[in-house]
Amino acid sequence: MTGRRLKLAMAGGGEDAFIGGVHRMAAALDGDWDLVAGTFSSDAERNRRSGEMLGLAPDRVHGSIADLLADERARPEGERIDAVAIVTPNHLHAPMAIAALDAGFPVFSEKPMAMNLAEAQAIAEAARRSGRLYALAFTYSGYPMVEEARARVARGDFGAIRLVHVEYVQGWLSSPLDREGNKQAEWRTDPARAGLGGALGDIGTHAFQLAEHVAGLKVEALSADVTTHVTGRMLDDDVNVLLRFAEGARGTLRATQVAAGEENGLRIRIHGEKGGLEWSQMEPNTLTLRWLDRPAEIVRAGGPGLGPTTLPRLRTPAGHPEGYIEAFGNLYRAVAATLRDGGPAGGGALGEASWFPGLEPGLRTMAFVEAVLASAGSEEKWTAMPEVSGGD
């Protein structure tokens, strides 16, 4: 930690909310942030209990985002919050982010950015209008070996990139949990709360952001197949996409939540003229390098050969596992450093401190969701196999 501790408010993330607890652990990891205020639930009693559980003063636990922002604006400058963390279901991301930005407060939001591209563009306009920072919790950008992979691609170790393959494979929605009382499943499969995509919006956006982030290339066109396997489910649970990147690279993206037995299988493989790399979220300390003309290499977190932008993301000695919470903590640490330096909206203009995802990846992921659904809704791209006989 460098400088004063920053004050954080949280919208959503009360009792029994998985992601709220993750954000609080990550924010606390470096001692940069103190959670001082929040609006945790639309249910008054749950909201009160959440504030009490978190040790907040009763007068800083509010029934709505509007009340929270009004109260914070009325406080002396030294007492006000420095940022709002938005950890609600997707349908509240845009109205809460816009309200916070317009009130003069930076935002660190859960992904996806919004329900659709139009909402995302409204958030971007609010960030530009207010001049306040906007950051997104694309957590996997915070892993040390993801940064090592990105840096090696960027410096040209593999030559011109030809292939980018990314997959995010889960199995937890293989059964109709969304109709059996599972709250996490309920809202993620409800178009009114999740938005346009199910698995597409939930984990497909993570995969897309990771692919562009590590490859350093932008997707220019795609061809998609979107499926709902579980009967009665209102949103997709399985997505397969062919990708055309700038500069001639080709790739694939797979995002599914019905691969029964799978846990959290996020994996990326990139190949260029001279070699390639592979990284898996379930083995996060390992980056595998493969070469056209020499044996493969294993690069380990904390081991020799890591670059200068990777080292600051490491938190434990070599051989000690670190992963999801630490990667999340790297995002919170970078946001804190940028705010202390008077960082601009969206990050990215103050050097290494501002590497975290902001407006551009947020907008691009929402554009990706809409492009995938538009592609999946068109039959023109498919060529049927000719009918053949056995020749008898």
Side-chain angles (χ1 to χ4, degrees), residues 92 150 223 333:
L92 296 174
R150 186 209 63 77
S223 178
R333 182 168 63 186

Side-chain angles (χ1 to χ4, degrees), residues 81-105:
I81 57 171
D82 294 286
V84 179
I86 299 173
V87 297
T88 63
N90 303 347
H91 69 296
L92 296 174
H93 290 182
M96 287 188 168
I98 292 168
L101 291 165
D102 282 345
F105 296 106

